[in-house]
Each structure stands twice: as C-alpha cells, then as structure tokens.
Amino acid sequence: MIAAPSNQELAPGKTLPVWTFNNSVPGPQIRVKQGDTIKVNLKNQLPEPVTIHWHGVPVPNAMDGIPGVTQNAVQPSQSFTYEFKADVPGTYWYHSHQDSVNQLDRGLYGAFIVEPKEGPDVDRDYTLVLDEWMSSGEMSGMNMSGGNMSEMDHSKMNMGSSNDNKSSMNMSGNMSGMDHSTMNMGNENKASTKTDNSSVNMGHDMSMYDLYTINGKSGSLVDQLTVKEGDKVRIRLINAGYLSHQIHLHGHEFKVIATDGQPINNPGILKDNVVSIAPGERYDIEFVASNPGQWLIEDHGDKAAVKGMKAMIVYEGAPAGSDKANEAEKLTAVDMSRYGQAGKTNFTLDQKYTLEYTMNLNTEMKNSEMVYTINGKTFPETEPINVKKGETVKVHLVNNSKTDDHPMHLHGHFFQVLSKNGKPLEGSPIIKDTLNLKPGEEYVVAFEADNEGNWMFHCHDLHHASAGMVTELKYTDYKTNFVADPNAGNKPE
C-alpha cells in the first residue's frame, strides 16, 4: 500500500489535490475471508509521516496504527508492515491515525471487508464510503488572503492538537507547500513563512464542507449500482467524514442487517426511513430487487451539498428512470434502540461489573480556545480507563455539549449498548465500536477487557479529538516493547 499525493476529480470539473492509498480516494477495498491472515506493507511517499489504523477490527495492539502509542509514525520514504488475523466478519475501514483530522480529511482511507467463512449470502454486495470536502477557500465567512485557496482539498484547518493552539487556525499564503499540521494565516508577503502568528479563533463550523462524495465522487460521477430483478442486494455504508448523513433508499423495502459490522437479530422490514450514519459508523442494509427501474439511494438534509451524495440503483435492461430526488424531505430515522428482536446478550444493566466509569463529554472555552473535554479535561490530561484482562467494564456516556454530536469510538474492542437516555434497549442486542451521542443524550455501554494493550477511546469527529476529546483504555498488566521516538513527529489524535 503506497501513501502518496495525487489529484482526483471529485465532482464534474472539480479536481482537487488529495492524499491517497494506491493513487485513489478511497484507497483499495481490502476484502478478505474470516480467518485469513492479512499482511499490508505501507510505503510512505508523502511529505509527512503516516500510519494505518484498522477501524473496528480487533487487531493485536501493536498493529493498531496509533503513532506514539503503538508505533512510531512511518516517516517519508520509510515503510511498515501490518500483520494480523481477521477473525470477526463485518464491515470495517482503514485510515491514517497520524494527525488524522488533516490526513483522513485529505483522503487517506479505504474499506476493509471481512466475509464470513461460509461465504456471502447475497447476489450483489456494494460498499459506499461517504465523505465531505471543502471545494473553495471561503471558510466560515473568511476570505483567506495571500494564496489561491480554491484548489484546496479538504485538509481542514487543524482545530488544534495536543501541542499547538487548539481550535485556532493559521492559514498560510502559499498553500501548495503548506505544512498541514499547522496552516498559517499570513499575507502575500509572508507566504513562505510558517511562523506568522496571526490566527483566527474559530468555533466548530462545519459549513466549510460544501462537497459531499460517495467513493470519492460526487453527483453524476458516482458509479451506478447495477442489479437484476430478484437479486438480494447488500449495501455497506461507511462514514469516513465528520458529519452525520441520513441515507434513504428509494423504491424498496429494506432491512438494517448490521451495525459496525455486527449482525442485528431478526431485523424488521423498513420503507422510506433514513439510516442515520455518524462519523466512523458503518451500517449494512439489505433489500430484494423487486421493483425494476432506476432508483436513488441518497443523503437527506438542508445543505446544498447533499445533492451530490446520491447513487443510482439501475436494474439491468431498465429504461431511464423517472425517480425523483427528495433530499430535502424530512424522513424518520431508524431507531436502533428499538429495532430488531431481543436475543441472547453478553451483558445486562444490573449485573455486577469489575469497573464502572462515567464519561461526561462537553464543549468548553479554555484560555479563549474552544476545546472538547472528557470529565472537564483534554488529552493527554484525561484520566485513562485502567483495566486488567478479563475484567468487565460499564461506561456511562453523557453528551453535555449544547450543539455538538460526539461519535465515540473505542479501539480494539466491541461494546454492547445497554440503554439510551435511561431506557433499556428494546430490540436486538446492539454491538458497536462507534456510538454517536447527540446533544443531551446519554448511553450505557459494556464490554469485556479481552484484548490487551493501550487503546484510544475518542470522538470520531476528529476536530473534537484533535482539540482534546480523547482518553485511553489501558491494561495495567500489559507490557509493551514499543518505545516512542521523540523525533518521529507522532500525532496520535
């Protein structure tokens, strides 16, 4: 797998500079069978260090791809080999975890699919990776002077990292050779300097993302999904962006058969519901192709950019379709806390746990900077969850932010969702690795400490992670051979 800069046409006539795995965004889909041993040699041809994190895959800790925690970031012109066994079938993805708010945003991601041993039970199996980009330099109402920002890709402004001004943003005049970890906001005369201190303190404004893509393409460039009548069709939805998307399948009844790769027990039939998919989450939907024609699968919302996030499902031999987009219509989202049928679970709300832990998530101003906190602290000052192998852990997650969603992602483990807003889940057991909390929501989740190591637990709106919303799950009896190199430029958020 080669990480290198490139250019890609994302929308008709709109080519942007991107960072790629194997010269495309998304990178190559890696599709393997349960039980396979995976070996990926990452070669870095980027101007900055890079890693690969296997999102949702329960890999050995040394293969998790977290710079400064499990490995040193792979330097330009260097390489690193990831090797692990794919034991749990499901829909996963991979992405850089080095300065990830910027690197993932530039295109360093791809799908990772683990098929069950017994083989697929569908006729067609499609993967749709969702993302958002910035197509111009007009961000948050600011006109960036000093350089042509219209060609800028979606490497967003660094909303801070643990060692620079969190949530502030420096934009430099000449963007072509820019340092993406800190973008300086200079003027024409200082285009080549990275030391200009003029910065703009800005809140968490996502309106800068004005171009939405499916598999790296928008609008008419998105590939059609071909089916024939009678096919059983699976669509794997992966959100690689930083905004939630409301995905609507037209013209068919469907089921949500998995979330974060883990199966739903006896899923019910749905029609004209949207599937709300938050950053880092995956949802697999399934339908029978029983309505010949051409039908949309599209994002819903009130931003103009949603019009680009749509694909056409085309029956073989079908004439041009008459289906109409209705992306502005408000449709009911599937309530996963009441979906499917109750079944055998690993955990219950009232059982005894080795450890109980509360994570209060919040948006705060500290030293005139906007930060994202866990129990009032920002990483690396956040208190880790300390466990030993075999212990059971119950976590109470509370979103105290007034306007921000927090899709919380736990590395190396799956957790069971036990309750939402104080009410036990009514439907299928829900097993996830990424859980979105809207403002005011609270959830209780539980997991077993069954994968030794030092693991991240963070918000997958990576703006929030880079500005503090990260903690660690640490096995106190785990001994690592890893030694962090102070010169590697490790940026784990």
Side-chain angles (χ1 to χ4, degrees):
M1 187 98 75
I2 297 171
S6 188
N7 294 285
Q8 183 160 309
E9 187 180 18
L10 299 181
K14 176 65 73 174
T15 297
L16 295 178
V18 292
W19 284 6
T20 66
F21 289 120
N22 288 10
N23 204 37
S24 72
V25 178
Q29 175 167 287
I30 301 174
R31 190 175 275 262
V32 301
K33 282 270 193 257
Q34 181 184 6
D36 283 354
T37 295
I38 317 308
K39 202 169 184 178
V40 175
N41 181 243
L42 169 63
K43 296 178 180 174
N44 185 8
Q45 295 177 5
L46 292 165
E48 290 188 15
V50 70
T51 69
I52 296 178
H53 165 60
W54 308 93
H55 185 117
V57 186
V59 297
N61 192 233
M63 296 293 109
D64 199 39
I66 312 306
V69 178
T70 68
Q71 72 172 99
N72 290 306
V74 182
Q75 301 301 306
S77 77
Q78 300 294 307
S79 61
F80 182 90
T81 299
Y82 295 90
E83 187 172 348
F84 56 91
K85 197 171 170 188
D87 287 322
V88 186
T91 301
Y92 308 102
W93 60 302
Y94 62 90
H95 60 81
S96 175
H97 221 289
Q98 163 73 7
D99 185 27
S100 51
V101 66
N102 291 311
Q103 293 198 1
L104 196 156
D105 216 20
R106 303 196 59 142
L108 288 175
Y109 58 77
F112 185 78
I113 310 300
V114 183
E115 295 179 345
K117 277 184 187 144
E118 58 270 20
D121 61 347
V122 293
D123 302 296
R124 312 268 178 158
D125 190 331
Y126 289 109
T127 304
L128 304 184
V129 185
L130 315 177
D131 197 7
E132 316 90 29
W133 304 74
M134 291 186 296
S135 69
S136 79
E138 295 290 330
M139 278 163 297
S140 312
M142 297 186 301
N143 186 358
M144 302 298 175
S145 65
N148 179 6
M149 307 243 336
S150 63
E151 287 301 301
M152 177 174 151
D153 74 317
H154 70 160
S155 81
K156 311 179 265 302
M157 318 7 327
N158 186 13
M159 299 297 211
S161 70
S162 58
N163 47 14
D164 38 62
N165 284 338
K166 292 181 178 133
S167 174
S168 66
M169 166 173 95
N170 289 321
M171 294 239 103
S172 188
N174 176 0
M175 306 282 308
S176 59
M178 79 189 196
D179 171 355
H180 289 276
S181 58
T182 50
M183 300 186 329
N184 262 339
M185 174 136 190
N187 56 39
E188 290 85 342
N189 304 325
K190 295 184 180 175
S192 60
T193 3
K194 291 182 187 160
T195 52
D196 176 22
N197 291 323
S198 72
S199 64
V200 177
N201 191 314
M202 54 182 287
H204 188 60
D205 181 3
M206 302 301 272
S207 62
M208 55 195 177
Y209 294 112
D210 58 354
L211 178 62
Y212 293 179
T213 57
I214 294 175
N215 295 338
K217 302 293 180 186
S218 189
S220 60
L221 297 187
V222 179
D223 284 344
Q224 295 181 337
L225 312 183
T226 305
V227 301
K228 66 172 186 284
E229 191 171 3
D231 279 351
K232 189 195 274 189
V233 184
R234 181 184 197 128
I235 298 179
R236 302 172 188 264
L237 301 164
I238 300 173
N239 191 346
Y242 301 152
L243 296 170
S244 289
H245 295 285
Q246 318 298 316
I247 302 300
H248 175 213
L249 171 67
H250 288 218
H252 298 80
E253 295 179 334
F254 70 98
K255 298 174 180 178
V256 179
I257 59 170
T259 175
D260 292 355
Q262 308 315 300
I264 301 293
N265 188 45
N266 199 14
I269 292 172
L270 302 160
K271 188 150 197 303
D272 287 329
N273 290 95
V274 289
V275 177
S276 181
I277 175 166
E281 286 190 313
R282 290 87 64 212
Y283 284 95
D284 293 20
I285 65 172
E286 185 181 276
F287 67 95
V288 175
S290 57
N291 192 6
Q294 298 192 3
W295 300 98
L296 288 164
I297 180 167
E298 64 174 354
D299 189 15
H300 274 233
D302 54 8
K303 294 187 175 71
V306 301
K307 294 177 185 299
M309 190 177 271
K310 52 171 59 81
M312 189 68 79
I313 295 164
V314 176
Y315 281 70
E316 290 178 358
S322 57
D323 189 22
K324 296 279 194 297
N326 64 342
E327 71 279 329
E329 193 175 325
K330 286 188 165 56
L331 298 175
T332 305
V334 184
D335 181 357
M336 297 304 297
S337 71
R338 306 175 63 178
Y339 181 67
Q341 189 175 44
K344 183 179 179 299
T345 63
N346 294 325
F347 300 104
T348 61
L349 273 170
D350 51 8
Q351 76 180 70
K352 188 168 172 51
Y353 289 87
T354 317
L355 176 68
E356 297 196 14
Y357 185 86
T358 297
M359 293 172 71
N360 286 300
L361 313 173
N362 212 345
T363 307
E364 302 176 36
M365 295 300 292
K366 289 194 175 178
N367 303 324
S368 74
E369 295 167 3
M370 186 173 285
V371 295
Y372 297 88
T373 59
I374 298 174
N375 297 335
K377 295 181 179 177
T378 55
F379 187 74
E381 277 73 47
T382 48
E383 290 165 13
I385 304 173
N386 292 316
V387 298
K388 287 190 172 72
K389 189 167 185 186
E391 292 185 337
T392 53
V393 186
K394 180 174 166 183
V395 182
H396 184 202
L397 293 150
V398 184
N399 184 358
N400 294 310
S401 294
K402 297 288 186 287
T403 56
D404 291 303
D405 283 17
H406 297 307
M408 298 300 294
H409 171 49
L410 174 61
H411 288 211
H413 301 72
F414 298 109
F415 52 75
Q416 182 185 332
V417 184
L418 298 176
S419 72
K420 176 183 179 181
N421 299 333
K423 294 179 182 172
L425 263 60
E426 294 175 29
S428 167
I430 299 293
I431 310 297
K432 293 179 67 61
D433 56 66
T434 308
L435 178 65
N436 191 44
L437 287 87
K438 293 187 168 70
E441 287 187 338
E442 49 187 282
Y443 285 86
V444 174
V445 304
F447 64 93
E448 182 183 350
D450 59 2
N451 192 3
E452 286 185 303
N454 296 318
W455 303 96
M456 306 284 273
F457 197 169
H458 66 93
C459 183
H460 221 278
D461 178 334
L462 297 175
H463 296 290
H464 298 176
S466 68
M469 194 168 278
V470 178
T471 188
E472 287 183 274
L473 173 71
K474 287 189 168 181
Y475 285 68
T476 54
D477 45 1
Y478 175 70
K479 298 285 187 288
T480 177
N481 298 322
F482 168 68
V483 178
D485 179 354
N487 300 313
N490 293 319
K491 292 185 179 179
E493 310 89 3

